[in-house]
Amino acid sequence: MTRTPVIVMGAGGHAKVCIELLRASGKQVDFAIGADVDSGECVGVPILAGDANLARLRSEGYTSVFIAVGSNSLREKLAGLATEQGYILVNAISPNATISPTASVGSGVAIMAGAVINADSTIADLAIINTGTTVDHDCRIGRAAHLAPQCALAGNVLIGERTFLGIGTKVIPNVIVESDSIVGAGSVVISNIGRGVTALGVPARSRLK
Ligand SMILES: CC(C)(COP(=O)(O)OP(=O)(O)OC[C@H]1O[C@@H](n2cnc3c(N)ncnc32)[C@H](O)[C@@H]1OP(=O)(O)O)[C@@H](O)C(=O)NCCC(=O)NCCS
């Protein structure tokens, strides 16, 4: 069997987890591209310092990339850079995640161990569904959103693009959290949250700027 090797952008803690997910699904990771100052290796993968390496590796024939960067806006930006250069965004999905056959999952998505995606839910490109997070039926998770570990979304929840839910966030059914918002760790969201807002607590309330 031939395997198409993958380049990972990012060389931090999130990249470590994603490289191990890629390996667990049978993919070979040849290089991790870090910041200009990074060197050494990331869970056994050699680190190349600087984004310029992306174009060089493309010219050497690499075609598959995974963007393993936690910042939602930076992940989206780097994905744009990679696709402009002709890269395909692969997924990093744990074999220990449970994904409904009626759910749909975009590209460049990370779904970590213990995550559950239930019926008719949609996970858009570049989203992160972190360790042990559950997304119940009919949810829509926007492009480059990040649900941190142990979040629990009830049915028909909408999470906007680039929105971040901190570790352990719970969301009751039919709630909308709009784009570019942040929900603090341990919050319980019981009503809609607007765009670009930071909300905290139980129940979650918007923090005044
Ligand atoms: C919400 C969050 C982003 C705010 O960060 P911040 O802007 O640096 O906020 P600060 O730490 O300065 O705290 C500001 C105030 O909010 C409160 N606060 C912060 N996070 C809170 C939370 N999750 N729930 C309730 N209150 C919180 C602080 O106690 C502080 O209150 P005070 O002004 O009365 O003293 C951060 O606290 C958080 O929860 N991050 C989630 C991290 C996470 O889950 N990472 C997972 C990575 S995979």
Side-chain angles (χ1 to χ4, degrees), residues 70 72 145-148 159-160 162-167 180-184:
N72 293 341
H146 178 181
L147 314 185
I159 304 295
R162 296 171 299 280
T163 282
F164 171 71
L165 302 192
I167 190 164
D180 299 301
S181 289
I182 295 170
V183 179

Side-chain angles (χ1 to χ4, degrees), residues 198 205-209:
T198 297
R205 302 218 186 275
S206 299
R207 183 170 74 181
L208 298 175
K209 300 234 167 170

Side-chain angles (χ1 to χ4, degrees), residues 160-183:
E161 297 182 350
R162 296 171 299 280
T163 282
F164 171 71
L165 302 192
I167 190 164
T169 298
K170 316 288 182 202
V171 188
I172 69 167
N174 306 317
V175 163
I176 299 172
V177 184
E178 290 186 22
S179 301
D180 299 301
S181 289
I182 295 170
V183 179

